């Protein structure tokens, strides 16, 4: 066969395949969504990133979940029958597990010939031990670390022996009977229930872990609403989830937040979940193809890429008429997050010089940051707590976040560096991506206004994290996204016992702040704790360990035939509530 | 011939050893420590130390290097830090999508470029030749990202000729998804290929034996296709065969934008997460393929040029 024939054949094959139809017809009620990163695995113990967490929650469930519609975010039972009974000293939590919940059918259940067995309290004990087992290398160990009686000792014994002994009992984890789980804590914790709603604590059957071993990440077996299509899915490109035929009785909520009824979010109240037959999750590493797929109606939901923002929304942040004519819905909500510039307080330059930190803070124009880097989709931050959490004070006006070059210069003079004279060049760590390069240029320009110079260290992501965890560099830009809806999640970032490699990346240490933080841990949610949070914020505002940048606002679009969509930043299992109006889609 | 091949394969051992040493030193100097990323944002020093121990990163560098050499010899690269999947399996799973895109794109591009170069060289200095050269320069000047964005927006979104992005395993489903990236590959690579092939052909047309053939009264077509083309194949074969090993590496940008789960995007992920085992495996596999590629080139020389022998 000569070259010409080969080339003709290839061209014909490409032409033919372009016209070919799909192998199997999709159910009409299929929901197509996007994920912006490749999925590393489907093991709950390893679901440390947002994207893996979302996928894990299709197949797995935990004891508690967040109410889909209510705001502020409220915990409700998931696999627990009700919220736990809490002892008087708040150290013992007793959960009643729902009866008759089945794991998805899987060959790992040999005793039942592949039929999923019933979930029992012991499964949670196994799951929590597995997260604690050092061999699992779980990113979620921190949710149990030093909290559950006897669990740290159990972990340490495993490390010493080279292998964890799952048969050995842990004092703080007890199955009183088949459906009763008792958790004993070392200290009362207002946050522990939030930890149990995180995907790290989602229950896994030991049979699947033992059978699939390292491949457990690609063979999910949970009690969740969707079953993973292992044959047709690829974690790097497309994940297909089919409705779980043995899913427990779980119904669409009958109440929501004010205004939800008017938005049609309660039409399906009381209906059995999941409401969709299939969920197709496509991985889009680049935003343009995701956007174009949404515009052609091939995706039911999409974020708005930075470069396409003006195409979709006007200066008033409302949809353009073209989109309104198509009845595309716009959803927006402030994110529970903060972006910031950290000062490395373990560095002698910044450790003791509050005026220097305050001066640099005043040289950065928040309004410009919001416009230049977020298309106006952000709120200038005044302190660490984002809107939507108890402790956030909308009236707070941080005096050091006002953009005022004259005052900044005065503070710089007070710091001992008039017009930046005598101040060494500041080492600024950043990432190599184009967005970070632009942010770095902005920081350089802002500081230049008061005569301060920076030296830029450009890193890859692992190098950047390693530098930060090793306290190298003097400043860097970073962000924190809430793990749970409690301002404590943001305030712990300044607790001195959490310094690097812990989450306190600015290595801030203030005994007065520590004392208040420790006191707040003993309190439950209420005015007293909120007042304490605000007192801590006041200290941070004055000390300026960070330049508080912005709280981002999430903008999402949905097609008119996508029903029940409401932004929910914490509940990973939210896709079970959505459905496609097939008549409207046609 | 067999002795020659064996000798060449033996030569590759020190080369491979050198490559492995460079790869190892390079990744340990500039790759970044993956443990801080793997351990998560709520990490403690004790957990980081534990993880480093589990990954064998607390061993001395010579021990780690020996372990790496063992992996090269046994072709067992262990598991990815990021996904925990066996790397051999990851490579075999990613090779399919990469090759489904790369092979047709490469074959079509090479054949088309060769044909255009022949025509261009045949009509040297005339309108067709100038048109080809200008088109080549234009094609090479635009960045491949521009072609990708244009293709996705105009050809896929506006006209619906191709899918915007995505990938389906299996034949022929996969072909509809790789058609547009393959077309972009062709447009992007064509300019450089045509110019190189044209120059190689023109160089031969200036040789004495061509003048002799013409003076003997041979028809121009015979001179051109029988003599010039065959002799100009040496640089062309070198150029083409050397490219073959890189096909397996995948097309980084095309795979990323079109959502093709090939080895190109896998390598980018590994770079972003300092996934040393995957990076070491990909670099080593590529080095081996490159060495085999050069060996294949040498063997092919003898087929296109009888003056070259296995000595």
């Amino acid at each position: 066969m000569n070259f010409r024939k080969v080339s003709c054949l290839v061209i014909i094959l490409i032409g033919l395949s372009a016209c070919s139809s799909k192998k199997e017809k999709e159910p009409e009620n299929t929901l197509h969504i996007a994920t912006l990163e490749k999925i590393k695995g489907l093991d709950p113990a390893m679901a440390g990133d947002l994207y893996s967490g979302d996928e894990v929650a299709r197949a797995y469930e935990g004891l508690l979940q967040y109410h889909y519609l209510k705001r502020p975010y409220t915990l409700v039972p998931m696999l627990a029958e009700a919220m736990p009974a809490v002892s008087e000293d708040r150290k013992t939590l007793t959960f009643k597990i729902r009866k008759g919940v089945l794991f998805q059918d899987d060959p790992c259940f040999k005793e039942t010939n592949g039929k999923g067995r019933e979930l029992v309290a012991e499964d949670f004990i196994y799951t929590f031990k597995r997260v604690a087992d050092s061999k699992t290398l779980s990113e979620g160990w921190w949710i149990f670390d030093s909290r559950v009686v006897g669990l740290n000792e159990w972990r340490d014994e495993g490390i010493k022996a080279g292998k964890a002994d799952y048969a050995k009992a842990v004092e703080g984890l007890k199955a009183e009977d088949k459906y009763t789980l008792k958790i004993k804590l070392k200290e009362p914790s207002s946050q522990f229930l939030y930890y149990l709603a995180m995907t790290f604590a989602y229950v896994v059957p030991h049979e699947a872990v033992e059978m699939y071993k390292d491949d457990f990440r690609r063979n999910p077996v949970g009690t969740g609403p969707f079953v993973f299509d292992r044959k047709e899915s690829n974690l790097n490109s497309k994940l297909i989830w089919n409705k779980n035929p043995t899913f427990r009785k779980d119904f669409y909520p009958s109440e929501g937040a004010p205004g939800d009824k008017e938005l049609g979010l309660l039409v399906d109240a009381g209906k059995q979940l999941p409401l969709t037959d299939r969920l197709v999750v496509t991985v889009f590493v680049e935003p343009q193809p995701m956007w174009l797929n949404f515009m052609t109606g091939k995706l039911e939901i999409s974020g708005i890429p930075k470069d396409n923002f003006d195409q979709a929304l006007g200066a008033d942040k409302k949809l353009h008429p073209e989109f309104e004519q198509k009845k595309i819905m716009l959803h927006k909500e402030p994110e529970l997050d903060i972006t910031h510039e950290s000062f490395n307080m373990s560095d002698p330059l910044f450790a003791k010089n509050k005026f220097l930190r305050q001066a640099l803070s005043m040289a950065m124009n928040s309004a410009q940051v919001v416009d230049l880097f977020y298309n106006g989709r952000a709120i200038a931050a005044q302190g660490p707590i984002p809107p939507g959490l108890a402790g956030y004070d909308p009236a707070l006006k941080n005096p050091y976040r006002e953009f005022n070059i004259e005052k900044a210069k005065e503070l710089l003079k007070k710091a001992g560096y008039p017009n930046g004279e005598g101040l060494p060049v500041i080492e600024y760590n950043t990432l190599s991506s184009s967005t970070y390069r632009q942010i770095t240029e902005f920081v350089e320009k802002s500081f230049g206004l008061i005569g301060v110079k920076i030296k830029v260290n450009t890193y890859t992501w692992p190098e950047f994290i390693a530098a930060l965890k090793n306290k190298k560099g003097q400043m860097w830009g970073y962000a924190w996204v809430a793990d749970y809806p409690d301002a404590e999640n943001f305030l712990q970032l300044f607790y001195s016992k959490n310094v690097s490699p812990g989450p306190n990346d600015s290595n801030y240490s203030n005994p007065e702040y520590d004392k208040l933080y420790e006191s707040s841990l003993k309190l439950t949610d209420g005015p007293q704790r909120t007042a304490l949070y605000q007192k801590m914020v006041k200290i941070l505002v004055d000390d300026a360990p960070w330049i508080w940048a912005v709280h981002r606002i999430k903008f999402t679009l949905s097609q008119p035939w996508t029903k029940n969509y409401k932004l929910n930043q914490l509940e990973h299992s939210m896709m079970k509530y959505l459905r496609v109006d097939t008549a409207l889609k046609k | 011939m067999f002795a020659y091949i064996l000798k060449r394969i033996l030569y590759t051992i020190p080369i491979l050893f050198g490559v492995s040493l460079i790869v190892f030193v390079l990744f340990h100097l500039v790759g970044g420590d993956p443990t801080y990323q793997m351990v998560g944002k709520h990490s403690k020093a004790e957990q980081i130390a534990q993880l480093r121990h589990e990954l064998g990163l607390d061993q001395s560098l010579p021990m780690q290097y020996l372990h790496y050499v063992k992996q090269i010899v046994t072709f067992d690269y262990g598991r990815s830090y990021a996904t925990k999947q066996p790397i051999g399996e990851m490579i075999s799973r990613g090779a399919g999508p990469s090759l489904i895109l790369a092979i047709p794109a490469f074959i079509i591009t090479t054949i088309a470029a060769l044909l255009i170069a022949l025509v261009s060289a045949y009509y040297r200095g005339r309108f067709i030749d100038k048109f080809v050269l200008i088109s080549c320069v234009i094609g090479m000047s635009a960045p491949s990202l521009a072609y990708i964005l244009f293709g996705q927006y105009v050809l896929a979104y506006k006209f619906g000729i191709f899918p915007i992005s995505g990938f389906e395993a299996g034949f022929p489903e996969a072909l509809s998804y790789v058609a547009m990236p393959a077309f972009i590959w062709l447009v992007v690579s064509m300019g450089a290929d045509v110019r190189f092939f044209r120059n190689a052909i023109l160089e031969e047309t200036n040789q004495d034996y061509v003048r002799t053939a013409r003076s003997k009264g041979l028809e121009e077509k015979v001179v051109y296709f029988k003599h010039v083309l065959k002799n100009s194949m040496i640089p062309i074969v070198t150029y083409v065969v050397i490219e073959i090993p890189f096909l397996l590496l995948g097309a980084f940008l095309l795979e990323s934008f079109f959502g093709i789960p090939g080895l190109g995007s896998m390598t980018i992920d590994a770079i972003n997460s300092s996934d040393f085992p995957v990076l070491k495996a990909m670099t080593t596999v590529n080095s081996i393929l490159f060495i085999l590629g050069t060996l294949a080139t040498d063997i092919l020389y003898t087929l296109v040029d009888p003056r070259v022998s296995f000595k």
Side-chain angles (χ1 to χ4, degrees), chain B residues 186-260:
Chain B
L186 183 137
V187 174
V188 170
S189 325
M190 188 73 98
D193 286 7
V194 169
R195 279 164 61 98
F196 183 86
F197 297 164
R198 178 183 169 276
N199 286 345
I201 294 163
L202 284 179
E203 212 161 286
E204 282 303 316
T205 52
N206 295 328
Q207 299 291 323
D208 289 343
Y209 73 89
V210 176
R211 208 174 302 122
T212 310
R214 280 180 181 145
S215 63
K216 277 169 69 184
L218 282 180
E219 239 184 278
E220 191 61 20
K221 277 180 189 168
V222 177
V223 172
Y224 206 75
F225 288 101
K226 197 172 174 189
H227 299 285
V228 172
L229 183 60
K230 194 173 178 188
N231 285 308
S232 60
M233 284 314 273
I234 296 177
I236 291 174
V237 165
T238 312
Y239 181 88
V240 171
V241 177
I242 287 290
E243 275 189 54
I244 291 173
F246 295 108
L247 299 182
L248 191 69
L249 260 187
F252 295 161
L253 210 56
L254 286 172
E255 288 183 11
S256 283
F257 266 85
F258 288 96
I260 297 167

Side-chain angles (χ1 to χ4, degrees), chain A residues 268-388:
Chain A
D268 288 319
K271 283 188 184 165
Q272 170 66 41
L273 301 173
L275 295 177
T276 184
D277 295 326
R278 183 179 286 182
L279 185 61
V280 177
V281 185
T282 307
V283 179
F284 290 99
V285 181
E286 299 294 338
Q288 151 134 331
M290 175 188 77
W291 178 248
L292 296 179
N293 272 291
F294 177 76
M295 295 298 286
T296 49
K298 285 175 185 155
L299 281 177
E300 265 72 53
I301 301 160
S302 172
I304 311 172
K306 194 170 171 274
D307 294 340
N308 301 96
F309 192 73
D310 293 340
Q311 189 189 339
L313 281 91
D316 56 356
K317 303 287 174 286
K318 284 185 179 163
L319 282 175
H320 284 314
E322 178 201 340
F323 286 73
E324 279 182 347
Q325 274 164 17
K326 287 182 179 173
K327 292 187 176 159
I328 287 172
M329 301 281 290
L330 172 67
H331 311 262
K332 50 184 170 180
E333 189 180 81
E335 292 194 47
L336 299 175
D337 74 353
I338 182 162
T339 67
H340 58 91
E341 300 296 327
S342 286
F343 295 110
N344 183 358
M345 303 280 279
S346 70
D347 187 279
L349 181 69
F350 287 119
K352 303 239 183 266
N353 205 332
K354 187 161 79 174
F355 295 129
L356 174 61
R357 300 193 300 268
Q358 289 169 345
L360 293 174
S361 178
M362 291 195 82
M364 252 181 85
N365 188 342
S366 296
Q368 266 191 323
V369 171
V370 170
D371 278 346
L372 287 173
F373 303 110
Y374 300 97
N375 304 102
R377 288 182 285 181
I379 301 163
Q382 304 296 316
I385 306 176

Side-chain angles (χ1 to χ4, degrees), chain A residues 11 32 138 146 194 196 212 239 265 291-292 305 332 417 446 478 482 512 528 530 563:
Chain A
I11 292 165
H32 302 86
S138 171
S146 308
Y194 292 132
L196 294 180
Y212 294 111
L239 294 91
L265 287 166
W291 178 248
L292 296 179
K332 50 184 170 180
Y417 306 107
S446 300
Y478 208 33
E512 188 195 349
Q528 202 189 343
T530 305
K563 297 297 170 189

Side-chain angles (χ1 to χ4, degrees), chain A residues 14 17 23 38 137 139 142 145 155 214 217-218 284 288-289 296 461-463 469-470 481 483 501-502, chain B residues 30 36-38 41-44 79 82-83 89 93 149 157 172-173 175-176 179 257 265 269 272 274:
Chain A
I14 290 176
S17 64
K23 278 180 278 185
K38 290 177 185 172
L137 303 177
E139 284 179 45
W142 66 272
D145 186 12
R155 174 183 162 95
D214 281 328
R217 283 184 164 207
R218 280 190 291 148
F284 290 99
Q288 151 134 331
T296 49
W461 178 242
E463 287 172 326
K469 297 284 183 189
N470 285 305
V481 181
D483 296 304
Chain B
V30 297
Y36 296 100
Q37 192 182 354
M38 289 172 76
K41 54 186 187 176
H42 295 267
S43 53
K44 281 187 176 174
R79 285 178 180 265
T83 66
E89 212 176 286
R93 224 178 309 123
L149 297 177
Y157 173 57
E173 291 86 356
L175 287 179
S176 69
F257 266 85
S265 53
D269 294 342
N272 289 337
S274 275

